[in-house]
Structure formats: structure tokens, C-alpha cells
Amino acid sequence: MNKILVANRGEIAIRIMRTAQKMGIKTVAVYSTIDRNAPHVKFADEAVCIGEAPSISSYLNANRIIEMAKTLQADAIHPGYGFLSENAAFAELCETHGITFIGPKSKAIKIMGSKLAAKEAVSQYNIPLVPGIDEAITDTKKAKEIAKSIGFPVLIKASAGGGGKGMRIVEKENELEAQMKRAISEAHSAFGDGSVFIEKYVSSPRHIEIQIMADGHGNILHFFERECSIQRRHQKVIEEAPSSILNPELRKKMGEAAVKVARSCDYLGAGTVEFLLDSHHNFYFLEMNTRLQVEHPVTELITGVDLVELQIRIARGEKLPMAQDDLNISGHALELRVYAEDPLNDFLPSVGHLKTYKLPSGPGIRVDNGFEQGMDIPIYYDPMISKLITYGKNREEAIQTMIDAISKYRIEGVETTLDFGKFVFEHHAFKSGRFDTHFVPKYYTPESIEQHKKNDAEMAALIVAKHYMEAQNKLRLPR
């Protein structure tokens, strides 16, 4: 493998290229017209424009990407995450044209891409599933019957997708019809498929995911867990590894279950198996993401493993270079997704010009970044600017390093999730480890951040006044 085309943009494209270049592999960046001056374009050995700004005309244009890979003689394509990363047809297209797709085979993507097909596959391995139905429906009358049999509250979920789209919690029977219509409409709009399924809603859950890696020689390893319970609109904002709630026995059980999930679909490469953990520490299979996750850096920091390098080695046909017993957890890592969003306005995207953009640095701080000062945040793509990751010898140290790193991060021109992150990391519920996926609705309001900022300003003023008084006293001392 001499050359890899990275079919993505921003921080993840640069992240992949760093490892490829470390391995002596040339890289090709693809870009849309609006990204022509983006850092990932400058970082690559070669770069090629693949279309106009809208993703459907560029980063989702599978045929154009394949054409460029062949023209520039790339041996492989790494899709990153998002865009074409979980597109089975794109994986097949790569196979047809003799280009290595750095990811699972199309069969596994298809199975795990459908929540119902995934449940059917893993059910053969005695993996716990949330009580619910095993078929997709659009009939409201039938939905009511199913919901009654399961018992309220229930969760309506889109069969064909994720990311919180087409998902509705229904507390009472008289709410079901309206929520069903909304879920179907949203699922159809997002995925082109309005079918949904219904399952029991697990109250006060923790969202725990297990990183797995499988080679083409029958070896499957898990790289422990990540806690992803701090979410807004069912989408992750903060992740950490390891979880503060898992003990060694539960960690082992969940890791073994994740390996079975990978085996159920003949998996290859990096993947993540997601579980819900209830208040009694019962866990249930949620879904499998057939790609590299946004939050993979926290796993890399606690295991000392480069997951992208393993992906590339597996794609080259190599065996995993370690056994399960060789893997250990060392220290603690946290990640904050720095979104161009306004936490004071329901986390709505905040596009604009990065007038000031300065990254924090120092021991225990890592920033996976895709922007530079003077750039604009485009409206066409996901509003994530970067990922701020910190590491410490324990959870307390990682949290304090994160708080310090947030204070050093300078962004002017757009609103971001930095202040929201500081609010979370300083909150007693997060620090104590006693929280669940309801953290945001339970504890967060725009006013809480405003109060947080006011308190910080008052504290800063007191510190300045104290230093001033100390300086004055020194000047008055007799000589």
C-alpha cells in the first residue's frame, strides 16, 4: 500500500494522514470548492477538487472519488467517519475497481446499518437486547398495540439510521400517534426510509461503547470502553475512557459481548459496539458503528495504541500484532467535541469567521483540529471545529487538565461548546461520576452558563484585586 486517498475533510482527514505519513504511505486529499484552502488540503502529499460545496456534489460523490483514486493511482481509500464511511454501496464500488476500502466488508456494513438486521444477527449469540419488536412498521394502529404489550414509556427509532434522527420517546398512549408521524417523517427525510421500530425505553441509562478491532485471520480484540452519556439531542458531546461506573467484571462481560457482535457479521477492521447500561448495571445491545469513531482518541490515550495504524495494517492483510491479554488501561482520557454551536440558543449551528483561533497546548493536552485562524465555518457540513482531548494519570487529573485547556482555547467569531464543556467538567454530578444520558435536560440551562461566566468574572476580579493589594502593601513596607 503506497498511497491512500482520504475521502473526508477537516480534523479526521488530517488525523488519518498523520498516521499514513508516519508509516511511509503517500496521501491524497479530496476537497470541495469551499475547502480549497483548508488545512487537510495543505497537509496531504497531493490534493484534488471533487466538486462544489454541497456534500452531495463532493464528499458524497462516490463515483467522482473512485475516479480520482484511479487517476492518481491510490491503492486504498480511507473514508474516516460520516459521509461515505458506512455506505455499503461505496465499499462495494471500491472492491469492484480493485481499490482497498479501509474498513469492513460491505456485508457487515449492510447488516449493522439496519438496526433490525443487527438485532437479528446478534440474537444468535445470546447478547442482551432491549425488549421490543423485531420488525419495521409504519402503521400507527399496529404501533399502539405493540407499545401496549411492551409497556410505556417506549422509544420509537428509525430502522435505517442513527444520530438521534427519527427517534422519539413516548410516555403515554395518547402521545404515540403524533410522535410516530414525526419519527416517520424525520426518518424518511434523513435516510429515505420512513420505517421505524419500537422498543422499551430504558430510563436513566448510561451510554457505554466498546472499541473492537478484527483482522482477516479470525482475531477480534476489544480495546475497553468509552463513556458517551453526555449528549444533546441524542448526539454525543463529551466522551471519556474508561467509564467511571464499570468494574473489571462488567468491563470483561461487555468486552466479550462486543467481540461476539463483531463475530456475528464476520467483521473486519475498526468498529464500535454500543450498549445501554441501566441503573441496575444490566447492559443491552444498541447498535454497531462500522467505522472509526469521532471519540477514538480517548481509547488511543489509555491503551497506547494507534487505531488508524491498526486499520491500515489490517487492510493490508496483516494480523493484529497483540493479544487481548497484552492490552491494559493506563490513566484516564476525556474528549470535548468543540462544535460551532450556540449553547445559549439550543445548540444551533453558529457559522461565521474565525477572527481569533488559538489552540491550547501543554502536558496531557491533544487537539485534533481541522481549522485555522481567518477561516470561515461553512454551513454545508457538520459544525465540529475540533476535538479537545486531555489525559491524566487518573480521572481527577484529566478533568483538571481539561478545564485548564478550555481556558487556554481562544476562539472569536463564532459561538462554541467550550463554555458548555467547562460547565459539565466543573459540575458535581460529572465529577462524582453519578450521571446518565439525561445530564443535559436535568442540569443544563442557558442561564447556568451565564451564571458560570459571571462567577468566573467575579473570581478573576477578586484575584486581580488581591494581587493589587499585595503589591501596594509591598510598596509601603519601610526599607
Side-chain angles (χ1 to χ4, degrees):
M1 193 178 288
N2 299 308
K3 189 186 290 187
I4 294 173
L5 183 147
V6 181
N8 218 297
R9 64 184 295 278
E11 62 83 18
I12 189 58
I14 295 173
R15 162 72 193 91
I16 293 161
M17 291 172 191
R18 284 191 192 282
T19 288
Q21 291 182 3
K22 180 183 74 176
M23 297 174 73
I25 301 171
K26 297 287 186 183
T27 60
V28 177
V30 295
Y31 62 93
S32 67
T33 50
I34 203 168
D35 276 343
R36 65 172 63 86
N37 295 315
H40 80 278
V41 177
K42 302 171 191 174
F43 192 87
D45 296 299
E46 298 175 74
V48 60
C49 183
I50 51 171
E52 296 300 315
S55 55
I56 193 69
S57 304
S58 50
Y59 298 106
L60 289 174
N61 189 339
N63 289 320
R64 175 71 171 159
I65 290 171
I66 292 289
E67 178 191 344
M68 289 300 99
K70 292 176 72 176
T71 299
L72 297 173
Q73 299 181 313
D75 309 294
I77 292 177
H78 196 308
Y81 54 72
F83 295 127
L84 294 168
S85 63
E86 294 181 283
N87 188 308
F90 181 63
E92 285 181 355
L93 202 59
C94 290
E95 293 165 16
T96 301
H97 288 275
I99 299 169
T100 300
F101 180 75
I102 301 179
K105 300 300 180 186
S106 56
K107 175 190 170 187
I109 297 175
K110 283 178 184 174
I111 291 172
M112 291 299 159
S114 164
K115 288 184 172 63
L116 290 176
K119 284 190 170 192
E120 184 179 351
V122 305
S123 65
Q124 311 300 316
Y125 286 78
N126 296 318
I127 294 165
L129 300 171
V130 178
I133 60 165
D134 56 0
E135 61 176 317
I137 60 169
T138 54
D139 186 293
T140 305
K141 185 179 177 182
K142 188 172 184 181
K144 282 186 179 180
E145 294 172 1
I146 293 163
K148 282 182 184 177
S149 67
I150 296 172
F152 288 91
V154 297
L155 188 63
I156 302 170
K157 296 172 78 172
S159 175
K165 297 179 177 67
M167 185 183 292
R168 290 289 185 279
I169 299 165
V170 184
E171 301 280 353
K172 300 172 184 176
E173 185 181 343
N174 61 7
E175 300 171 357
L176 184 66
E177 187 169 351
Q179 296 286 32
M180 183 88 173
K181 286 178 181 176
R182 286 179 192 147
I184 290 171
S185 173
E186 195 172 291
H188 192 273
S189 175
F191 313 115
D193 181 354
S195 58
V196 299
F197 66 100
I198 298 174
E199 63 185 25
K200 182 70 177 172
Y201 177 63
V202 179
S203 60
S204 303
R206 304 279 288 237
H207 189 140
I208 307 290
E209 63 185 30
I210 307 290
Q211 175 72 56
I212 64 97
M213 191 74 70
D215 64 23
H217 304 272
N219 304 302
I220 306 174
L221 304 179
H222 71 81
F223 292 73
F224 312 111
E225 82 280 358
R226 295 185 287 257
E227 169 91 51
C228 307
S229 296
I230 307 294
Q231 306 176 1
R232 48 92 178 100
R233 296 194 298 273
H234 302 291
Q235 293 177 310
K236 305 162 190 171
V237 189
I238 289 169
E239 300 97 354
E240 65 179 306
S243 168
S244 61
I245 200 172
L246 264 60
N247 58 35
E249 183 183 2
L250 185 55
R251 177 173 292 118
K252 185 171 185 288
K253 283 182 181 178
M254 294 182 77
E256 289 171 350
V259 168
K260 288 179 182 177
V261 171
R263 210 171 291 286
S264 76
C265 62
D266 193 23
Y267 201 76
L268 182 73
T272 299
V273 182
E274 307 204 2
F275 296 98
L276 286 181
L277 186 73
D278 69 18
S279 56
H280 301 291
H281 290 192
N282 300 307
F283 64 89
Y284 306 95
F285 171 73
L286 184 62
E287 63 184 357
M288 183 178 193
N289 290 310
T290 54
R291 55 172 166 79
L292 193 68
Q293 291 281 87
V294 174
E295 57 272 20
H296 76 273
V298 294
T299 296
E300 293 185 323
L301 289 177
I302 66 161
T303 59
V305 173
D306 184 330
L307 293 174
V308 175
E309 181 177 341
L310 288 184
Q311 281 187 296
I312 293 170
R313 292 193 180 283
I314 287 168
R316 293 197 304 204
E318 298 177 26
K319 287 184 179 181
L320 282 163
M322 74 281 285
Q324 189 66 59
D325 290 344
D326 297 326
L327 295 168
N328 296 290
I329 295 173
S330 176
H332 200 96
L334 300 165
E335 176 178 295
L336 169 65
R337 301 187 188 190
V338 182
Y339 283 111
E341 293 180 346
D342 186 357
L344 303 182
N345 190 19
D346 198 29
F347 294 94
L348 291 177
S350 173
V351 297
H353 183 74
L354 289 173
K355 186 171 68 175
T356 300
Y357 191 68
K358 299 187 185 303
L359 303 178
S361 61
I365 298 173
R366 165 177 165 177
V367 187
D368 284 15
N369 173 54
F371 283 85
E372 293 174 345
Q373 187 166 291
M375 288 181 66
D376 292 324
I377 304 293
I379 62 172
Y380 301 98
Y381 316 118
D382 184 275
M384 191 169 73
I385 301 172
S386 70
K387 300 180 312 203
L388 177 58
I389 309 117
T390 60
Y391 175 81
K393 62 179 179 292
N394 53 46
R395 190 169 186 265
E396 292 73 22
E397 184 177 297
I399 290 174
Q400 190 54 53
T401 303
M402 176 63 80
I403 293 168
D404 294 343
I406 290 172
S407 69
K408 295 174 184 174
Y409 211 138
R410 294 281 179 266
I411 302 179
E412 293 178 11
V414 297
E415 300 300 323
T416 75
T417 50
L418 284 171
D419 284 333
F420 169 76
K422 189 169 187 290
F423 166 80
V424 174
F425 292 118
E426 291 183 343
H427 199 280
H428 67 88
F430 184 83
K431 283 189 167 183
S432 69
R434 293 191 293 272
F435 60 91
D436 55 39
T437 54
H438 302 309
F439 179 95
V440 171
K442 191 182 291 184
Y443 298 114
Y444 171 73
T445 63
E447 293 75 23
S448 59
I449 281 191
E450 295 285 18
Q451 185 60 47
H452 223 58
K453 284 183 175 179
K454 185 180 176 183
N455 293 344
D456 285 349
E458 289 174 352
M459 182 62 71
L462 286 171
I463 291 170
V464 169
K466 181 174 181 286
H467 287 323
Y468 175 77
M469 293 302 294
E470 287 175 350
Q472 290 298 307
N473 288 334
K474 284 180 182 176
L475 287 172
R476 293 192 193 106
L477 287 174
R479 298 196 176 190

